[in-house]
Amino acid sequence: MSAPGLLERPVDSAGLSGEWIVTVYDNPVNTVDEVMDILMAATACTADEAAIETWEIDRLGSSVVHHGSQSECERVAEIVATIGIRVEVSKESVGV
């Protein structure tokens, strides 16, 4: 049950919601500035959000940088991949 004012996402029998995600993985090649710039260009996020996601990529090895429809996530992933960084589009799991 969701908290007041929050909507629950529909979940299928595999524990997946209807949303898709874009995950970006760390590599030894791209600089922090390059990653921040491409995240802002691909997702239209703020510099602060890009900095947090870039920190997660660098320190944790990956970060979910976008949620949306499959086509929107594929568009974002295509842009991010232009700098040679590994990116993955997948169905969001809600951990059922």
Side-chain angles (χ1 to χ4, degrees), residues 62-81:
S62 67
S63 179
V64 173
V65 300
H66 194 71
H67 296 257
S69 67
Q70 183 178 7
S71 61
E72 173 67 11
C73 287
E74 288 172 351
R75 181 195 68 77
V76 167
E78 192 173 296
I79 294 168
V80 173

Side-chain angles (χ1 to χ4, degrees), residues 25-44:
Y25 295 89
D26 190 27
N27 72 28
V29 177
N30 296 102
T31 67
V32 167
D33 288 339
E34 288 172 331
V35 176
M36 284 184 60
D37 288 345
I38 202 68
L39 291 178
M40 288 186 291
T43 68

